Amino acid sequence: MSDNIIEFHNVKKSYGDHVIIPNLNVNIERGDFLTIIGSSGCGKTTMLKMINRLINPDEGEILIDGKDVSELDVIKLRRSIGYSIQGTMLFPHLTVRENISYVPDLIAEDDKKAFKYESTQDNKLKKIKKDKELKAKEKSRDATKEQEINKWLDIVGLDYSLLERFPHELSGGQKQRVGIARALSASPKILLMDEPFGAVDEITRGQLQQEIKKIHEKTNITIIFITHDIGEALYLGKHVIVMDEGEINQYGEPAEILNNPATPFVEKLCERTKDIIEGKNNSY
Amino acid sequence: MIGDLFNLFMSQSHFFLNLVIEHLEISLISVLLAIIVGLGLGITVSEYPRNKWILTLVNIIYTIPSIALFGFLIPIAGVGDTNAIIALTIYGLLPMVRNTYTGIKTIDPGIIEAARGMGSTDRQILFKIKVPLALPHIMSAIRNMTVMTVALTGIASFIGAGGLGVAIYRGITTNNITLVVAGSILISILALGIDFILAGVEKITAFGPSRKKFFSILKNKKLIAAVLIVILSAGAYVAYDNSTHKTIHIASKAYTEQYVLGHILEELIQDQTDYHVDLTSGISGGTSTIQGGLAQGEFDMYPEYTGVAWMTVLSNSGLYDESMFNQLNNQLKSELSETMLTPYGFENTYAIAVPKAVAEKYNLKTISDLRAVAGQLTFGAESDYFSRADGFENLTNTYGLKFKDTMDLDVSLKYDAVEQGKIDVVEVYTTDGRLYGSDLVILDDDLNFFPSYYGVTIIREESLKEYPDLLPVLNKLNGKITTEDMMRMNYEVDVEKKDPKDVAHEFLVQKGLISGR
Ligand SMILES: Nc1ncnc2c1ncn2[C@@H]1O[C@H](COP(=O)(O)OP(=O)(O)OP(=O)(O)O)[C@@H](O)[C@H]1O
Ligand SMILES: [Mg+2]
């Protein structure tokens, strides 16, 4: 049996009478690069947000490392999962640097509070020692933080000179790179990406695709990646899910999807890609 | 006009400086409170939709005219700075609450979801995302609200608070236009100056590098500690200063004679005792407001008139005359624990006057003499005279008068109207400064129609006990101010535009009540 990092068991979600996801069962392998494709409104984002509990399912359960997410501390759970939201959504009032270090800063802040709380429970001597410890810890954290940020900038291909800029001073492609760096900066084991490469030109898109592929290879992180572009889904995914109206039409490796479409919907979706590959479509 | 203004500022620079400081104190404390409370409420409303009624409530409060709001608070907060600060704070809430709410609600929900999805707690979302993003809205509210509050503070003197409104109010009630203009100009300068400063702050706090610097300054704990220490020690000093000296609080109403009397009491006590004196003059709410202040112990004493005490303070019916003085005083003691001292001597009652020419033409000496000729004459008075109990209707009934016509006039226009021959018979009060040197003749009240209004100090009995040195000093005024004196002093203020304080001082020196300096 393979090692599953995420499992959906009989998950159902509806809004009022409108059933979005009737009954979802999916296993996602550790270290996988899973792309999800499907028509607009079919429930991709809903599925993704159930993993970090931005949306709670009506029925069924979702497991991460075998544990029901609904029983985990929601804040810790979310901080351990990178999230690149649909539309990028950088924080407009924070610089590139502050955007990227947002989650590490949150973690550092809470650590410090917890540590301070602990030390108030101690006697004086211990307290002084602990305070010193805290200062040292903070110092080393500041140093590593700087290195970490630079590392992520390198990985997503951003120039250091952009660090002090605000989001409105960036191009679309730069924003998306910052968004990815922000999602990665706390070194999560799972990365959820909701159409991260929308609204950029083909060349930038190609570069971003290559970068995310490299990141995946380097870090053995598990990536779940939503896209509208079948070409992107097949190029990036180790596995691909084709979704329609909240149900999985096909779940397999790219070649399988392309060569053995399970439903007419998948076949239709793949036709265009085949055309391109076989050179029949010149209007592109 | 500009020359007058300049002279006024130069000669009274100390007076104006004090008013400016008071004005800033009142408005800035109110602004600070409104910011803190308004931010809190705005956040509560936007975080918990079930608290939306707060928004509706502050909206409703905002529609209450400011004067009315000051008035409503008198029974609760009394008169003076506290009331003003409460009213101004409440007034400033709406812009704060509304803009905080709008600022937070108009944030792209995607941004908040991103923050939530990355593992921020609700608190972190609020303070790291929502409030900073709502800051431009909040800052513009602070700016507008501050300017509004500085302007509104000008009205606060209506309920006995200090500030530049005092100058305006005094100007209006003593018919001194220059003073009104001076007060207004200073308020405008303050408002514009503050607006200018806040515009700068607004720019700094807008997104960008300067904002970061600004907030890193705010995070500087030493700096904040230093500012707090300065504020606290200033407060402690003021509190200490107030507690070491006993302070007598004097109130006076908002017309010339009362300003002068207030200053006479103030200077006499200051000169002859060790007590501090705090004079709140020009309380336009008048008798009822001041009485409220006495009941709450905010004021110790004020100059009043026997007839007013009888009719307005104690709501007695029937006409008062001086033979009832002891009865009146006993009633004040038993019902209000207040007491009247011996009257000053002058009588400020209503009277009927006619120009000398008219008096001679019809040979008029008493009001009864008018009966035969009233049909050819026009009667003029302030509009409230026509509705008052001891007013026009009773007067004409008692004396059987039928005038050709009547005319409602503002106090300040009455004498002009007489001069221009628009009215022939006019209702006046006996100490009116404009009577002094005018050619009006007062007709004798031969049927004793007008009640008696002798000027007298009313003081809380408790204050007399608490400040034992007070009574002998106040008694020095007994019978010392004649009607002629009072009329002349009113004339000096109203017509010669002298400062009531100077007029009071000259009077005290001239009567040998204080040593001249
Ligand atoms: N809060 C909500 N209340 C009601 N309906 C909702 C809500 N959120 C989403 N939906 C509906 O659920 C369906 C699935 O939405 P979802 O966002 O998962 O679609 P999607 O596959 O991500 O689409 P897209 O590719 O356009 O992003 C849509 O029909 C949407 O209208
Ligand atoms: Mg979506």
mmCIF file of all heavy atoms in Angstrom, chain A residues 49 52 54 75 78-79 83 85 89 91-93 98 102-103 106 109-110 164 166 182, chain B residues 108 110-111 113-121 124 128-129 132-133 207-209 212:
data_model
loop_
_atom_site.group_PDB
_atom_site.id
_atom_site.type_symbol
_atom_site.label_atom_id
_atom_site.label_comp_id
_atom_site.label_asym_id
_atom_site.label_seq_id
_atom_site.Cartn_x
_atom_site.Cartn_y
_atom_site.Cartn_z
ATOM 1 N N LYS A 49 -10.260 23.882 -0.062
ATOM 2 C CA LYS A 49 -10.438 24.582 1.210
ATOM 3 C C LYS A 49 -10.887 23.657 2.327
ATOM 4 O O LYS A 49 -10.774 24.018 3.505
ATOM 5 C CB LYS A 49 -11.464 25.709 1.053
ATOM 6 C CG LYS A 49 -10.933 26.941 0.337
ATOM 7 C CD LYS A 49 -11.986 28.012 0.352
ATOM 8 C CE LYS A 49 -11.591 29.219 -0.456
ATOM 9 N NZ LYS A 49 -12.748 30.119 -0.624
ATOM 10 N N ASN A 52 -7.645 22.605 4.429
ATOM 11 C CA ASN A 52 -7.177 23.450 5.538
ATOM 12 C C ASN A 52 -8.333 24.037 6.348
ATOM 13 O O ASN A 52 -8.175 25.033 7.048
ATOM 14 C CB ASN A 52 -6.195 24.518 5.062
ATOM 15 C CG ASN A 52 -6.844 25.546 4.139
ATOM 16 O OD1 ASN A 52 -8.056 25.499 3.902
ATOM 17 N ND2 ASN A 52 -6.047 26.468 3.636
ATOM 18 N N LEU A 54 -10.908 25.761 5.756
ATOM 19 C CA LEU A 54 -11.601 27.023 5.505
ATOM 20 C C LEU A 54 -13.067 26.726 5.228
ATOM 21 O O LEU A 54 -13.935 27.570 5.398
ATOM 22 C CB LEU A 54 -10.966 27.758 4.317
ATOM 23 C CG LEU A 54 -9.665 28.495 4.626
ATOM 24 C CD1 LEU A 54 -9.047 29.056 3.366
ATOM 25 C CD2 LEU A 54 -9.895 29.611 5.639
ATOM 26 N N ILE A 75 -5.424 26.276 13.913
ATOM 27 C CA ILE A 75 -4.364 27.250 13.632
ATOM 28 C C ILE A 75 -3.059 26.531 13.269
ATOM 29 O O ILE A 75 -2.403 26.857 12.271
ATOM 30 C CB ILE A 75 -4.161 28.172 14.857
ATOM 31 C CG1 ILE A 75 -5.458 28.932 15.184
ATOM 32 C CG2 ILE A 75 -3.010 29.136 14.620
ATOM 33 C CD1 ILE A 75 -5.925 29.889 14.108
ATOM 34 N N ARG A 78 -3.317 24.912 9.806
ATOM 35 C CA ARG A 78 -3.176 25.834 8.680
ATOM 36 C C ARG A 78 -1.740 26.317 8.505
ATOM 37 O O ARG A 78 -1.275 26.527 7.399
ATOM 38 C CB ARG A 78 -4.108 27.043 8.878
ATOM 39 C CG ARG A 78 -5.557 26.678 8.637
ATOM 40 C CD ARG A 78 -6.456 27.829 8.961
ATOM 41 N NE ARG A 78 -7.863 27.439 8.824
ATOM 42 C CZ ARG A 78 -8.854 28.098 9.390
ATOM 43 N NH1 ARG A 78 -8.615 29.166 10.124
ATOM 44 N NH2 ARG A 78 -10.094 27.698 9.216
ATOM 45 N N ARG A 79 -1.052 26.493 9.646
ATOM 46 C CA ARG A 79 0.329 26.974 9.525
ATOM 47 C C ARG A 79 1.234 25.891 8.954
ATOM 48 O O ARG A 79 2.310 26.188 8.436
ATOM 49 C CB ARG A 79 0.841 27.423 10.898
ATOM 50 C CG ARG A 79 0.220 28.749 11.294
ATOM 51 C CD ARG A 79 0.728 29.226 12.615
ATOM 52 N NE ARG A 79 -0.034 30.396 13.038
ATOM 53 C CZ ARG A 79 0.035 30.950 14.231
ATOM 54 N NH1 ARG A 79 0.855 30.439 15.145
ATOM 55 N NH2 ARG A 79 -0.697 31.991 14.523
ATOM 56 N N TYR A 83 -0.580 27.812 1.576
ATOM 57 C CA TYR A 83 -1.838 28.096 0.862
ATOM 58 C C TYR A 83 -1.645 29.273 -0.072
ATOM 59 O O TYR A 83 -1.383 30.389 0.342
ATOM 60 C CB TYR A 83 -2.930 28.380 1.902
ATOM 61 C CG TYR A 83 -4.286 28.694 1.320
ATOM 62 C CD1 TYR A 83 -4.815 27.950 0.249
ATOM 63 C CD2 TYR A 83 -5.067 29.711 1.854
ATOM 64 C CE1 TYR A 83 -6.061 28.220 -0.263
ATOM 65 C CE2 TYR A 83 -6.332 29.993 1.345
ATOM 66 C CZ TYR A 83 -6.818 29.240 0.285
ATOM 67 O OH TYR A 83 -8.065 29.511 -0.218
ATOM 68 N N ILE A 85 -3.765 31.287 -2.409
ATOM 69 C CA ILE A 85 -5.193 31.473 -2.678
ATOM 70 C C ILE A 85 -5.436 31.927 -4.116
ATOM 71 O O ILE A 85 -4.585 32.564 -4.736
ATOM 72 C CB ILE A 85 -5.764 32.494 -1.669
ATOM 73 C CG1 ILE A 85 -7.289 32.590 -1.751
ATOM 74 C CG2 ILE A 85 -5.120 33.846 -1.863
ATOM 75 C CD1 ILE A 85 -7.882 33.518 -0.677
ATOM 76 N N MET A 89 -3.778 37.528 -3.853
ATOM 77 C CA MET A 89 -4.144 38.188 -2.603
ATOM 78 C C MET A 89 -2.969 38.459 -1.668
ATOM 79 O O MET A 89 -2.945 38.036 -0.522
ATOM 80 C CB MET A 89 -5.186 37.341 -1.835
ATOM 81 C CG MET A 89 -6.472 37.135 -2.568
ATOM 82 S SD MET A 89 -7.357 38.688 -2.771
ATOM 83 C CE MET A 89 -8.604 38.178 -3.960
ATOM 84 N N PHE A 91 -0.884 40.851 0.847
ATOM 85 C CA PHE A 91 -1.359 41.879 1.778
ATOM 86 C C PHE A 91 -0.841 43.240 1.308
ATOM 87 O O PHE A 91 0.367 43.480 1.322
ATOM 88 C CB PHE A 91 -0.869 41.574 3.194
ATOM 89 C CG PHE A 91 -1.308 40.222 3.682
ATOM 90 C CD1 PHE A 91 -0.411 39.324 4.225
ATOM 91 C CD2 PHE A 91 -2.645 39.848 3.587
ATOM 92 C CE1 PHE A 91 -0.826 38.082 4.667
ATOM 93 C CE2 PHE A 91 -3.072 38.598 4.033
ATOM 94 C CZ PHE A 91 -2.157 37.711 4.569
ATOM 95 N N PRO A 92 -1.750 44.135 0.911
ATOM 96 C CA PRO A 92 -1.310 45.370 0.256
ATOM 97 C C PRO A 92 -0.519 46.313 1.157
ATOM 98 O O PRO A 92 0.224 47.148 0.671
ATOM 99 C CB PRO A 92 -2.611 46.034 -0.198
ATOM 100 C CG PRO A 92 -3.693 45.363 0.552
ATOM 101 C CD PRO A 92 -3.208 44.020 0.971
ATOM 102 N N HIS A 93 -0.690 46.162 2.474
ATOM 103 C CA HIS A 93 -0.026 47.096 3.380
ATOM 104 C C HIS A 93 1.320 46.582 3.855
ATOM 105 O O HIS A 93 1.984 47.233 4.647
ATOM 106 C CB HIS A 93 -0.912 47.384 4.582
ATOM 107 C CG HIS A 93 -1.236 46.163 5.397
ATOM 108 N ND1 HIS A 93 -1.869 45.063 4.852
ATOM 109 C CD2 HIS A 93 -1.001 45.862 6.682
ATOM 110 C CE1 HIS A 93 -2.022 44.147 5.788
ATOM 111 N NE2 HIS A 93 -1.498 44.600 6.911
ATOM 112 N N GLU A 98 7.747 41.426 4.215
ATOM 113 C CA GLU A 98 6.769 41.119 5.274
ATOM 114 C C GLU A 98 5.713 40.123 4.809
ATOM 115 O O GLU A 98 5.246 39.291 5.580
ATOM 116 C CB GLU A 98 6.092 42.412 5.740
ATOM 117 C CG GLU A 98 7.032 43.313 6.517
ATOM 118 C CD GLU A 98 6.510 44.741 6.614
ATOM 119 O OE1 GLU A 98 5.697 45.155 5.753
ATOM 120 O OE2 GLU A 98 6.928 45.439 7.544
ATOM 121 N N TYR A 102 5.256 36.313 6.520
ATOM 122 C CA TYR A 102 4.036 36.433 7.333
ATOM 123 C C TYR A 102 3.831 35.243 8.270
ATOM 124 O O TYR A 102 3.687 35.406 9.476
ATOM 125 C CB TYR A 102 2.816 36.612 6.425
ATOM 126 C CG TYR A 102 1.537 36.862 7.185
ATOM 127 C CD1 TYR A 102 1.260 38.109 7.712
ATOM 128 C CD2 TYR A 102 0.621 35.838 7.425
ATOM 129 C CE1 TYR A 102 0.107 38.342 8.436
ATOM 130 C CE2 TYR A 102 -0.544 36.055 8.154
ATOM 131 C CZ TYR A 102 -0.790 37.320 8.648
ATOM 132 O OH TYR A 102 -1.932 37.541 9.376
ATOM 133 N N VAL A 103 3.844 34.036 7.723
ATOM 134 C CA VAL A 103 3.585 32.867 8.579
ATOM 135 C C VAL A 103 4.732 32.618 9.570
ATOM 136 O O VAL A 103 4.470 32.432 10.763
ATOM 137 C CB VAL A 103 3.291 31.611 7.733
ATOM 138 C CG1 VAL A 103 2.997 30.416 8.640
ATOM 139 C CG2 VAL A 103 2.102 31.872 6.829
ATOM 140 N N LEU A 106 4.198 34.900 12.386
ATOM 141 C CA LEU A 106 3.112 34.476 13.281
ATOM 142 C C LEU A 106 3.603 33.406 14.235
ATOM 143 O O LEU A 106 3.353 33.446 15.441
ATOM 144 C CB LEU A 106 1.940 33.891 12.481
ATOM 145 C CG LEU A 106 1.093 34.799 11.608
ATOM 146 C CD1 LEU A 106 -0.076 34.005 11.036
ATOM 147 C CD2 LEU A 106 0.588 35.982 12.398
ATOM 148 N N GLU A 109 5.928 34.832 16.804
ATOM 149 C CA GLU A 109 5.196 35.629 17.788
ATOM 150 C C GLU A 109 4.556 34.732 18.850
ATOM 151 O O GLU A 109 4.649 34.995 20.052
ATOM 152 C CB GLU A 109 4.123 36.419 17.042
ATOM 153 C CG GLU A 109 3.415 37.462 17.871
ATOM 154 C CD GLU A 109 2.344 38.175 17.050
ATOM 155 O OE1 GLU A 109 2.683 38.764 16.008
ATOM 156 O OE2 GLU A 109 1.169 38.115 17.447
ATOM 157 N N ASP A 110 3.907 33.663 18.386
ATOM 158 C CA ASP A 110 3.226 32.785 19.341
ATOM 159 C C ASP A 110 4.216 32.008 20.197
ATOM 160 O O ASP A 110 3.971 31.779 21.381
ATOM 161 C CB ASP A 110 2.288 31.830 18.600
ATOM 162 C CG ASP A 110 1.056 32.570 18.110
ATOM 163 O OD1 ASP A 110 0.952 33.772 18.431
ATOM 164 O OD2 ASP A 110 0.221 31.965 17.427
ATOM 165 N N GLU A 164 11.776 45.441 -0.426
ATOM 166 C CA GLU A 164 11.115 46.518 0.316
ATOM 167 C C GLU A 164 9.963 47.145 -0.455
ATOM 168 O O GLU A 164 9.384 48.135 -0.026
ATOM 169 C CB GLU A 164 12.125 47.599 0.717
ATOM 170 C CG GLU A 164 13.288 47.114 1.566
ATOM 171 C CD GLU A 164 12.836 46.305 2.787
ATOM 172 O OE1 GLU A 164 11.781 46.633 3.360
ATOM 173 O OE2 GLU A 164 13.542 45.332 3.149
ATOM 174 N N PHE A 166 6.150 47.436 -2.149
ATOM 175 C CA PHE A 166 4.795 47.041 -1.785
ATOM 176 C C PHE A 166 4.143 46.359 -2.982
ATOM 177 O O PHE A 166 4.550 46.589 -4.124
ATOM 178 C CB PHE A 166 3.988 48.267 -1.354
ATOM 179 C CG PHE A 166 4.379 48.765 0.005
ATOM 180 C CD1 PHE A 166 5.422 49.662 0.166
ATOM 181 C CD2 PHE A 166 3.716 48.287 1.132
ATOM 182 C CE1 PHE A 166 5.788 50.089 1.433
ATOM 183 C CE2 PHE A 166 4.087 48.710 2.395
ATOM 184 C CZ PHE A 166 5.115 49.609 2.545
ATOM 185 N N ARG A 182 5.450 33.159 -0.337
ATOM 186 C CA ARG A 182 4.739 33.314 0.933
ATOM 187 C C ARG A 182 4.144 31.987 1.395
ATOM 188 O O ARG A 182 4.198 31.640 2.572
ATOM 189 C CB ARG A 182 3.623 34.360 0.778
ATOM 190 C CG ARG A 182 2.854 34.634 2.052
ATOM 191 C CD ARG A 182 1.852 35.741 1.880
ATOM 192 N NE ARG A 182 0.757 35.369 0.984
ATOM 193 C CZ ARG A 182 -0.344 36.104 0.804
ATOM 194 N NH1 ARG A 182 -0.458 37.259 1.426
ATOM 195 N NH2 ARG A 182 -1.288 35.713 -0.016
ATOM 196 N N ASP B 108 -11.101 43.539 0.735
ATOM 197 C CA ASP B 108 -11.346 42.383 -0.120
ATOM 198 C C ASP B 108 -11.387 41.110 0.736
ATOM 199 O O ASP B 108 -10.418 40.783 1.419
ATOM 200 C CB ASP B 108 -10.185 42.302 -1.132
ATOM 201 C CG ASP B 108 -10.412 41.198 -2.160
ATOM 202 O OD1 ASP B 108 -11.168 40.250 -1.854
ATOM 203 O OD2 ASP B 108 -9.820 41.280 -3.237
ATOM 204 N N GLY B 110 -11.052 38.204 0.005
ATOM 205 C CA GLY B 110 -9.989 37.287 -0.373
ATOM 206 C C GLY B 110 -8.751 37.485 0.486
ATOM 207 O O GLY B 110 -8.066 36.522 0.852
ATOM 208 N N ILE B 111 -8.461 38.739 0.812
ATOM 209 C CA ILE B 111 -7.270 39.028 1.613
ATOM 210 C C ILE B 111 -7.427 38.462 3.013
ATOM 211 O O ILE B 111 -6.512 37.858 3.572
ATOM 212 C CB ILE B 111 -7.033 40.553 1.649
ATOM 213 C CG1 ILE B 111 -6.498 40.989 0.284
ATOM 214 C CG2 ILE B 111 -6.052 40.928 2.752
ATOM 215 C CD1 ILE B 111 -6.306 42.449 0.137
ATOM 216 N N GLU B 113 -9.385 35.977 3.799
ATOM 217 C CA GLU B 113 -9.357 34.514 3.704
ATOM 218 C C GLU B 113 -7.912 34.011 3.565
ATOM 219 O O GLU B 113 -7.536 32.990 4.141
ATOM 220 C CB GLU B 113 -10.188 34.040 2.526
ATOM 221 C CG GLU B 113 -10.200 32.526 2.432
ATOM 222 C CD GLU B 113 -11.464 32.003 1.773
ATOM 223 O OE1 GLU B 113 -11.568 32.171 0.553
ATOM 224 O OE2 GLU B 113 -12.319 31.452 2.461
ATOM 225 N N ALA B 114 -7.099 34.757 2.838
ATOM 226 C CA ALA B 114 -5.690 34.373 2.711
ATOM 227 C C ALA B 114 -5.036 34.346 4.091
ATOM 228 O O ALA B 114 -4.353 33.391 4.463
ATOM 229 C CB ALA B 114 -4.951 35.342 1.795
ATOM 230 N N ALA B 115 -5.307 35.404 4.867
ATOM 231 C CA ALA B 115 -4.717 35.470 6.205
ATOM 232 C C ALA B 115 -5.220 34.320 7.072
ATOM 233 O O ALA B 115 -4.457 33.689 7.799
ATOM 234 C CB ALA B 115 -5.053 36.804 6.857
ATOM 235 N N ARG B 116 -6.505 34.049 6.965
ATOM 236 C CA ARG B 116 -7.070 32.966 7.770
ATOM 237 C C ARG B 116 -6.485 31.625 7.330
ATOM 238 O O ARG B 116 -6.076 30.816 8.162
ATOM 239 C CB ARG B 116 -8.592 32.958 7.634
ATOM 240 C CG ARG B 116 -9.257 31.791 8.341
ATOM 241 C CD ARG B 116 -10.733 32.021 8.607
ATOM 242 N NE ARG B 116 -10.913 33.050 9.600
ATOM 243 C CZ ARG B 116 -11.577 34.174 9.407
ATOM 244 N NH1 ARG B 116 -12.152 34.403 8.237
ATOM 245 N NH2 ARG B 116 -11.672 35.066 10.356
ATOM 246 N N GLY B 117 -6.428 31.425 6.017
ATOM 247 C CA GLY B 117 -5.934 30.159 5.483
ATOM 248 C C GLY B 117 -4.481 29.897 5.839
ATOM 249 O O GLY B 117 -4.031 28.756 5.851
ATOM 250 N N MET B 118 -3.737 30.964 6.112
ATOM 251 C CA MET B 118 -2.333 30.772 6.469
ATOM 252 C C MET B 118 -2.154 30.569 7.964
ATOM 253 O O MET B 118 -1.030 30.461 8.441
ATOM 254 C CB MET B 118 -1.515 31.965 5.993
ATOM 255 C CG MET B 118 -1.394 31.954 4.474
ATOM 256 S SD MET B 118 -0.197 33.113 3.853
ATOM 257 C CE MET B 118 -0.970 34.600 4.206
ATOM 258 N N GLY B 119 -3.261 30.542 8.710
ATOM 259 C CA GLY B 119 -3.153 30.200 10.115
ATOM 260 C C GLY B 119 -3.088 31.382 11.059
ATOM 261 O O GLY B 119 -2.519 31.282 12.139
ATOM 262 N N SER B 120 -3.692 32.534 10.683
ATOM 263 C CA SER B 120 -3.769 33.646 11.636
ATOM 264 C C SER B 120 -4.961 33.405 12.565
ATOM 265 O O SER B 120 -5.993 32.909 12.125
ATOM 266 C CB SER B 120 -3.999 34.970 10.923
ATOM 267 O OG SER B 120 -3.320 35.012 9.709
ATOM 268 N N THR B 121 -4.809 33.774 13.817
ATOM 269 C CA THR B 121 -5.965 33.733 14.713
ATOM 270 C C THR B 121 -6.842 34.942 14.407
ATOM 271 O O THR B 121 -6.415 35.868 13.718
ATOM 272 C CB THR B 121 -5.523 33.814 16.181
ATOM 273 O OG1 THR B 121 -4.814 35.037 16.364
ATOM 274 C CG2 THR B 121 -4.604 32.663 16.545
ATOM 275 N N GLN B 124 -5.132 38.047 15.362
ATOM 276 C CA GLN B 124 -4.057 38.439 14.443
ATOM 277 C C GLN B 124 -4.635 39.013 13.155
ATOM 278 O O GLN B 124 -4.106 39.985 12.608
ATOM 279 C CB GLN B 124 -3.160 37.229 14.146
ATOM 280 C CG GLN B 124 -2.252 36.898 15.323
ATOM 281 C CD GLN B 124 -1.619 35.526 15.229
ATOM 282 O OE1 GLN B 124 -2.177 34.616 14.607
ATOM 283 N NE2 GLN B 124 -0.456 35.360 15.848
ATOM 284 N N LYS B 128 -3.350 42.604 12.491
ATOM 285 C CA LYS B 128 -2.309 42.626 11.464
ATOM 286 C C LYS B 128 -2.872 42.942 10.087
ATOM 287 O O LYS B 128 -2.148 43.407 9.212
ATOM 288 C CB LYS B 128 -1.597 41.268 11.408
ATOM 289 C CG LYS B 128 -0.703 41.024 12.595
ATOM 290 C CD LYS B 128 0.009 39.690 12.454
ATOM 291 C CE LYS B 128 0.750 39.342 13.714
ATOM 292 N NZ LYS B 128 1.869 40.254 13.972
ATOM 293 N N ILE B 129 -4.142 42.657 9.878
ATOM 294 C CA ILE B 129 -4.700 42.833 8.536
ATOM 295 C C ILE B 129 -5.807 43.886 8.519
ATOM 296 O O ILE B 129 -5.707 44.897 7.835
ATOM 297 C CB ILE B 129 -5.265 41.492 7.990
ATOM 298 C CG1 ILE B 129 -4.223 40.380 8.100
ATOM 299 C CG2 ILE B 129 -5.766 41.660 6.567
ATOM 300 C CD1 ILE B 129 -3.004 40.554 7.238
ATOM 301 N N PRO B 132 -4.925 47.676 10.092
ATOM 302 C CA PRO B 132 -4.001 48.432 9.220
ATOM 303 C C PRO B 132 -4.609 48.765 7.859
ATOM 304 O O PRO B 132 -4.398 49.859 7.339
ATOM 305 C CB PRO B 132 -2.813 47.480 9.039
ATOM 306 C CG PRO B 132 -2.884 46.535 10.178
ATOM 307 C CD PRO B 132 -4.317 46.417 10.561
ATOM 308 N N LEU B 133 -5.401 47.837 7.314
ATOM 309 C CA LEU B 133 -5.985 48.135 6.002
ATOM 310 C C LEU B 133 -7.110 49.159 6.106
ATOM 311 O O LEU B 133 -7.383 49.887 5.162
ATOM 312 C CB LEU B 133 -6.500 46.845 5.349
ATOM 313 C CG LEU B 133 -5.410 45.952 4.745
ATOM 314 C CD1 LEU B 133 -6.012 44.672 4.195
ATOM 315 C CD2 LEU B 133 -4.669 46.699 3.643
ATOM 316 N N PHE B 207 -0.178 53.869 2.880
ATOM 317 C CA PHE B 207 0.745 52.778 2.572
ATOM 318 C C PHE B 207 2.055 53.315 2.049
ATOM 319 O O PHE B 207 2.088 54.214 1.234
ATOM 320 C CB PHE B 207 0.163 51.856 1.493
ATOM 321 C CG PHE B 207 -1.129 51.243 1.890
ATOM 322 C CD1 PHE B 207 -2.081 50.938 0.948
ATOM 323 C CD2 PHE B 207 -1.398 50.981 3.232
ATOM 324 C CE1 PHE B 207 -3.286 50.375 1.335
ATOM 325 C CE2 PHE B 207 -2.589 50.419 3.612
ATOM 326 C CZ PHE B 207 -3.537 50.119 2.652
ATOM 327 N N GLY B 208 3.109 52.748 2.489
ATOM 328 C CA GLY B 208 4.401 53.158 1.961
ATOM 329 C C GLY B 208 5.448 53.131 3.044
ATOM 330 O O GLY B 208 5.162 52.834 4.193
ATOM 331 N N PRO B 209 6.669 53.460 2.655
ATOM 332 C CA PRO B 209 7.791 53.334 3.585
ATOM 333 C C PRO B 209 7.662 54.253 4.801
ATOM 334 O O PRO B 209 8.019 53.872 5.908
ATOM 335 C CB PRO B 209 9.003 53.751 2.751
ATOM 336 C CG PRO B 209 8.509 54.089 1.403
ATOM 337 C CD PRO B 209 7.039 53.908 1.338
ATOM 338 N N LYS B 212 5.889 52.808 7.724
ATOM 339 C CA LYS B 212 6.641 51.860 8.542
ATOM 340 C C LYS B 212 7.449 52.591 9.598
ATOM 341 O O LYS B 212 7.475 52.215 10.765
ATOM 342 C CB LYS B 212 7.588 51.063 7.646
ATOM 343 C CG LYS B 212 7.183 49.620 7.527
ATOM 344 C CD LYS B 212 8.073 48.901 6.560
ATOM 345 C CE LYS B 212 9.104 48.076 7.273
ATOM 346 N NZ LYS B 212 9.972 47.400 6.315
#
